[in-house]
């Protein structure tokens, strides 16, 4: 959630991959990636691989040996006016062709600020832009019909769609007398237009179930997940929020907002009852905390530990910190890696960071503005192709110092893997490294180096990397 912008908005309104994880359903895991599928690729004049879909056939995404990539399909304050669903829909074929296998959408239901809201102040979970309430019929992003067309198009491209779920707090209720606070609170949601999941003061803290849970946010009414009525409406009943999103709206998975605000058992219960891919926004750089939450929630988690280490490595010239612990090293099947998102964008030297997450374990995320506006799309597509086709197997770090980092993906099930070389210095660098291949020719699949070295009989080879850049090596095949 966007804390700074959102609190300003609230003030106005309140005056205003690989292989299957044991505890994840195979159909819900976008990293079920170690099986071979048909790939269609060509090579440019300078050796860069490009694909008609990174494993796609007839324009549809098909997972390659390394899996797929997640696109965050929005940024903070996307244009108002109900156009965003159509903007995203029109990009889906190109994203699929580039090897992107899933798109994460912003909160899709009607929020207190109506047509101006980014959705993180939810009022009516079942109003997707089809009821006239909170000052508008459409949401900021468009109508329900347009949202359904987007999801249908994504599925036609063999892409998954993940919903941003905000269940810590609500906003936009009417005032009512609250016996637990002795005051009036904005907790009367009995008149919501959909008629589904009406709420009152006992559905929010403090109430008959206690004074608080793990955390409230921004002064909003804090939803009480301990209340069986709330549980039933969120994930229990056949028309619960989760089951409606999945079975009627056809969402495939969930990005849970501000999971610090409630216990991991909430996401665990949702996942057990609803299913689908799941990732939580636990904004914490402590890898022990991330792992604890992921295990107890039975969910993936954004790898904030890796995020802050990448900032230190690529912006502050200390690549040695990439030896430190991160969530993807603890459990790559529950780690969603990222370089930027709608809330935080601190990494300035982004291309090496994308080279890092797209060659390492975990489920990598591309930020919309990085891909569509700010960075070199051709280079990002090249990295996505490398991820989907070459980034397989476990990871071995081969060399680090302040300026250089070299790691090897060890391959899986006949796929050879790769060696990634990141160089933060201002000059070309060369290193001898040990590969998994004896007497075989390699090439740099980024095209940054024109070398075609052959590994020695003992599997060692010399590779190179340009200044302030990266190279990615694998067998020339």
């Amino acid at each position: 959630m966007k804390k700074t912008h959102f609190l300003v908005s609230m003030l106005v309104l309140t005056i205003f991959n690989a292989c299957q994880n044991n505890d994840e359903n195979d159909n819900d895991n976008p990293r079920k990636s170690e099986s071979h599928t048909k790939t269609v690729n060509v090579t440019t004049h300078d050796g860069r691989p490009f694909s008609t879909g990174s494993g796609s056939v007839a324009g549809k995404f098909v997972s390659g040996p390394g899996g797929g990539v997640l696109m965050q399909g929005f940024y903070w304050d996307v244009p108002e006016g109900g156009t965003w669903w159509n903007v995203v829909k029109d990009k889906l074929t190109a994203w699929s062709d580039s090897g992107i296998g899933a798109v994460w959408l912003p909160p899709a239901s009607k929020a207190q600020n109506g047509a101006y809201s980014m959705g993180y102040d939810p009022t009516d979970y079942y109003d997707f832009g089809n009821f006239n309430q909170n000052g508008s019929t459409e949401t900021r992003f468009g109508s329900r019909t347009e949202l359904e067309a987007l999801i249908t198009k994504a599925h036609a491209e063999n892409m998954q769609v993940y919903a941003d779920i905000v269940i810590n707090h609500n906003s936009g209720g009417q005032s009512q007398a609250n016996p637990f606070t002795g005051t009036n609170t904005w907790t009367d949601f009995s008149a919501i237009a959909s008629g589904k999941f009406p709420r009152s003061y006992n559905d929010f803290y403090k109430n008959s179930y206690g004074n608080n849970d793990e955390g409230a946010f921004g002064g909003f009414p804090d939803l009480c997940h301990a209340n069986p009525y709330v549980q039933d409406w969120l994930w229990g009943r056949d028309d619960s929020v989760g089951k409606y999103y999945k079975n009627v709206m056809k969402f495939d998975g969930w990005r849970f907002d501000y999971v610090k605000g409630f216990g991991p058992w909430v996401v665990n219960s949702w996942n057990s009852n609803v299913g689908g891919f799941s990732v939580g926004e636990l904004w914490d750089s402590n890898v022990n905390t991330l792992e604890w939450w992921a295990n107890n929630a039975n969910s993936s988690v954004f790898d904030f530990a890796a995020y802050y280490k990448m900032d230190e490595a690529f912006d502050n010239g200390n690549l040695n910190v990439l030896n430190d612990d991160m969530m993807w090293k603890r459990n790559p099947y529950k780690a969603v890696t990222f370089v930027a998102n709608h809330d935080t964008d601190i990494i300035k030297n982004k291309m090496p960071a994308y080279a890092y997450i797209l060659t390492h374990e975990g489920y990598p995320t591309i930020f919309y503005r990085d891909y569509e506006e700010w960075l070199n799309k051709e280079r990002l597509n090249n990295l996505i192709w490398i991820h989907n086709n070459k980034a397989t197997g476990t990871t071995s770090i081969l060399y680090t110092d302040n300026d250089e980092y070299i790691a090897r993906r060890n391959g899986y099930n006949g796929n050879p893997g790769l060696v990634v070389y990141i160089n933060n210095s201002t000059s070309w660098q060369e290193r001898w490294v040990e590969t998994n291949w004896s007497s075989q020719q390699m090439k740099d699949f980024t095209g940054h180096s024109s070398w075609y070295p052959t590994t020695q009989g003992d599997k060692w080879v010399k590779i190179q990397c340009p200044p302030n850049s990266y190279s990615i090596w694998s067998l020339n095949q």
Side-chain angles (χ1 to χ4, degrees):
M1 174 169 302
K2 192 77 170 181
K3 275 69 180 178
T4 54
H5 290 78
F6 194 62
L7 289 174
V8 171
S9 174
M10 184 198 73
L11 181 61
V12 172
L13 291 168
T14 56
I15 315 185
F16 155 84
N17 311 321
C19 53
Q20 172 58 39
N21 190 33
N22 290 336
D23 56 3
E24 293 179 313
N25 184 285
D26 184 63
N27 293 326
D28 303 335
N29 189 352
R31 289 149 296 179
K32 54 180 192 279
S33 59
E34 303 294 18
S35 61
H36 287 286
T37 55
K38 181 179 179 181
T39 59
V40 182
N41 65 282
V42 297
T43 304
T44 64
H45 69 281
D46 59 354
R48 293 194 304 272
F50 292 95
S51 168
T52 58
S54 191
S56 73
V57 178
K60 292 180 174 60
F61 172 80
V62 178
S63 181
V69 173
L70 170 62
M71 171 66 75
Q72 179 176 357
F74 67 100
Y75 54 92
W76 194 258
D77 285 344
V78 300
E80 300 167 5
T83 63
W84 193 249
W85 295 146
N86 287 335
V87 168
V88 172
K89 178 171 69 71
D90 290 344
K91 294 184 180 296
L92 290 173
T93 297
W95 290 353
S96 171
D97 287 347
S98 297
I100 294 165
V103 57
W104 153 30
L105 299 182
S109 63
K110 188 69 62 64
Q112 180 174 348
N113 206 12
Y116 303 100
S117 177
M118 283 296 295
Y120 291 94
D121 50 341
T123 299
D124 188 340
Y125 288 104
Y126 296 84
D127 179 0
F128 297 93
N130 50 307
F131 293 103
N132 186 357
Q133 63 180 331
N134 293 359
S136 69
T137 298
E138 291 192 350
T139 67
R140 183 189 192 103
F141 314 113
S143 68
R144 174 170 177 156
T145 299
E146 290 164 339
L147 172 61
E148 289 174 325
L150 185 165
I151 296 171
T152 298
K153 177 68 177 297
H155 290 159
E157 296 290 345
N158 203 26
M159 298 173 69
Q160 292 198 328
V161 184
Y162 303 152
D164 204 317
I165 298 294
V166 185
I167 55 173
N168 177 72
H169 51 270
N170 291 167
S171 188
Q174 301 301 306
S175 177
Q176 63 180 167
N178 189 329
F180 296 98
T181 65
T183 64
N184 274 34
T185 52
W186 300 94
T187 50
D188 181 3
F189 293 82
S190 61
I192 51 176
S194 71
K196 290 183 176 293
F197 194 14
R199 286 143 279 161
S200 66
Y201 58 78
N202 200 44
D203 302 316
F204 301 89
Y205 290 107
K206 62 184 187 180
N207 57 10
S208 62
Y209 294 91
N211 293 335
N212 58 272
D213 60 359
E214 279 76 1
F217 178 79
F220 290 119
D222 188 22
L223 202 58
C224 174
H225 304 94
N227 185 339
Y229 173 84
V230 173
Q231 297 175 24
D232 202 33
W233 268 108
L234 286 180
W235 61 74
R237 51 192 290 158
D238 288 343
D239 61 345
S240 65
V241 174
K243 292 176 183 176
Y244 192 93
Y245 274 56
K246 185 178 184 185
N247 300 327
V248 178
M249 299 303 294
K250 304 300 183 183
F251 281 101
D252 305 289
W254 330 104
R255 180 266 186 188
F256 288 97
D257 180 68
Y258 190 62
V259 298
K260 280 190 172 183
F262 46 89
W265 67 270
V266 172
V267 172
N268 194 322
S269 297
W270 177 298
N271 290 340
S272 297
N273 283 272
V274 180
F277 174 75
S278 168
V279 59
E281 182 218 19
L282 186 71
W283 199 322
D284 198 309
S285 63
N286 188 316
V287 67
N288 293 318
T289 303
L290 296 173
E291 183 182 36
W292 166 83
W293 186 89
N295 289 339
N296 284 278
N298 187 25
S299 172
S300 296
V301 66
F302 284 107
D303 195 345
F304 278 93
Y307 176 70
Y308 287 108
K309 293 300 180 185
M310 287 191 293
D311 178 47
E312 186 176 350
F314 302 125
D315 288 346
N316 298 311
N318 183 16
L319 268 60
N320 277 316
V321 302
L322 299 178
N323 288 309
D324 292 351
D325 206 359
M326 306 174 197
M327 184 62 195
W328 73 258
K329 297 182 182 183
R330 294 282 184 94
N331 188 340
Y333 310 116
K334 289 185 175 178
V336 177
T337 53
F338 67 102
V339 174
N341 64 30
H342 64 295
D343 276 335
T344 179
D345 192 8
I346 62 173
I347 298 174
K348 305 305 179 187
N349 193 14
K350 286 184 174 180
M351 285 307 299
Y354 275 113
Y356 181 82
I357 69 169
L358 287 161
T359 55
H360 285 64
E361 293 169 83
Y363 185 19
T365 308
I366 309 291
F367 181 44
Y368 179 95
R369 299 199 86 168
D370 287 341
Y371 187 83
E372 291 292 344
E373 300 176 14
W374 292 340
L375 301 181
N376 185 316
K377 186 183 292 189
E378 180 180 293
R379 286 296 175 192
L380 285 173
N381 282 342
N382 172 245
L383 288 172
I384 293 167
W385 188 95
I386 290 169
H387 171 269
N388 292 0
N389 290 276
K390 301 294 182 182
T392 62
T394 58
T395 303
S396 299
I397 297 176
L398 304 180
Y399 180 84
T400 60
D401 61 25
N402 283 344
D403 293 328
E404 296 173 64
Y405 173 87
I406 307 175
R408 183 180 69 224
R409 292 296 298 276
N410 292 307
Y412 180 84
N413 196 27
N415 184 281
L418 56 80
V419 175
V420 55
Y421 192 164
I422 301 175
N423 175 17
N424 259 10
S425 77
T426 57
S427 60
W428 280 83
Q429 299 295 330
E430 301 174 1
R431 293 284 170 189
W432 282 92
V433 296
E434 185 176 15
T435 72
N436 290 321
W437 319 304
S438 177
S439 304
Q440 297 190 67
Q441 189 183 68
M442 300 170 59
K443 75 172 183 180
D444 172 18
F445 277 81
T446 72
H448 289 154
S449 171
S450 60
W451 282 10
Y452 286 80
T454 297
T455 60
Q456 298 183 152
D458 60 3
K459 302 180 181 180
W460 283 77
V461 69
K462 182 189 281 189
I463 58 176
Q464 65 174 189
C465 188
N468 297 307
S469 190
Y470 55 88
S471 56
I472 302 169
W473 304 79
S474 189
L475 296 185
N476 186 15
Q477 62 183 33

